[in-house]
Amino acid sequence: MAVDLGLRLPPDWAGRPPHMAPADADLWFRWKPGRLAGASALYFDVALGTGAPSPEGTAPEMARAWSRLTALRADVVVEFPDRWSIVELRAHAGASALGALLSYLALWRESPPDQRPASGSIVTDFLNDDVVRSARGFQIPVVGLGPS
């Protein structure tokens, strides 16, 4: 399954992202000022991968919805003219945040929407030194915003 970006929003969109947990939304609103210069668009809840198989006999339109619902989903994808950026928002980010982001990047690279390169970053409130060091090994920045 190709990356399903979903709804394209302008970079100055100020609404509350759909399906985003309150703690993640807090991180989003604290992180985004000044970081979207040059961005073309924002996408939230981006589906990656195939998801779970739908039950036998499922109508095609329902099978597609089922696949999207059960696929892995990136919190935010920022589109730039020359690249894509996948942002994992996670309060108290641990190793699972890094694992999730690495999974998103691998699935993205299997079936990208175009030929622009993709990178990722983790945005969190409290930095975990082991996660920061591990992410550095994959050239993934971890941004610590501190408590809200």
Side-chain angles (χ1 to χ4, degrees), residues 110-121:
E110 273 186 10
S111 186
D114 61 30
Q115 294 306 309
R116 288 176 284 177
S119 62
S121 60

Side-chain angles (χ1 to χ4, degrees), residues 13-17 20 24-33:
W13 183 73
R16 187 177 188 293
M20 190 174 281
D24 293 349
D26 175 66
L27 291 169
W28 168 248
F29 288 118
R30 292 172 52 214
W31 175 81
K32 76 174 194 167

Side-chain angles (χ1 to χ4, degrees), residues 32-103:
K32 76 174 194 167
R35 290 190 165 91
L36 299 176
S40 306
L42 301 174
Y43 303 88
F44 297 96
D45 205 31
V46 173
L48 300 121
T50 58
S54 58
E56 180 112 8
T58 302
E61 62 277 1
M62 291 303 292
R64 177 167 162 63
W66 176 260
S67 176
R68 188 174 204 303
L69 182 67
T70 60
L72 294 181
R73 287 179 281 170
D75 293 327
V76 183
V77 172
V78 183
E79 180 182 5
F80 292 91
D82 61 341
R83 64 188 167 90
W84 298 92
S85 179
I86 301 173
V87 182
E88 173 66 5
L89 304 164
R90 185 83 61 97
H92 301 282
S96 62
L98 178 56
L101 184 57
L102 289 172
S103 296

Side-chain angles (χ1 to χ4, degrees), residues 118-140:
S119 62
S121 60
I122 298 169
V123 177
T124 188
D125 45 3
F126 296 102
L127 292 174
N128 176 315
D129 187 56
D130 291 333
V131 173
V132 172
R133 288 188 356 262
S134 297
R136 191 177 303 130
F138 293 100
Q139 299 174 327
I140 292 175

